[in-house]
Amino acid sequence: MKPKCVVTLDLPEDILVPLERHYDVMAWANADAMPEAHLQEWLADAEGLLCALSTPITASVIAGAEQLKVISTISVGVDHIDLAAATDAGIPVGHTPGGL
């Protein structure tokens, strides 16, 4: 069984297909930001999270994601991620500095 990865934004298929080779991907396909309650539900058994600035990754989201091993954002900044909560949970956070 592949590890589960939650993607909180609508990504093109050419990006999702390579992810799906290695992960059971659950991808949010709406233009609106993913609601926190929905995110918490999807993260209940996920090991990876790929997000963007549009989705706040709060302390309560992190606390409820007991199997989460990594958070990555497709942004330069990480202001939308509670870094203290991620650090306390031992979850590394990646971002894309210099990407713009």
Side-chain angles (χ1 to χ4, degrees):
M1 184 171 181
K2 296 186 250 183
K4 181 177 171 184
C5 179
V6 172
V7 178
T8 68
L9 63 154
D10 191 16
L11 291 174
E13 284 297 312
D14 63 329
I15 294 175
L16 286 178
V17 168
L19 283 175
E20 291 170 341
R21 288 187 195 121
H22 304 282
Y23 304 95
D24 177 13
V25 176
M26 291 187 72
W28 184 249
N30 298 336
D32 297 334
M34 188 176 200
E36 185 169 315
H38 202 90
L39 177 59
Q40 289 174 321
E41 180 182 319
W42 280 20
L43 285 174
D45 60 347
E47 293 184 19
L49 172 61
L50 177 59
C51 60
L53 291 170
S54 60
T55 306
I57 310 303
T58 63
S60 62
V61 166
I62 293 168
E66 295 179 7
Q67 295 183 41
L68 195 60
K69 295 181 178 174
V70 65
I71 299 170
S72 188
T73 182
I74 60 166
S75 62
V76 173
V78 292
D79 292 350
H80 61 293
I81 302 170
D82 189 321
L83 294 178
T87 300
D88 289 346
I91 301 170
V93 175
H95 62 115
T96 55
L100 300 176

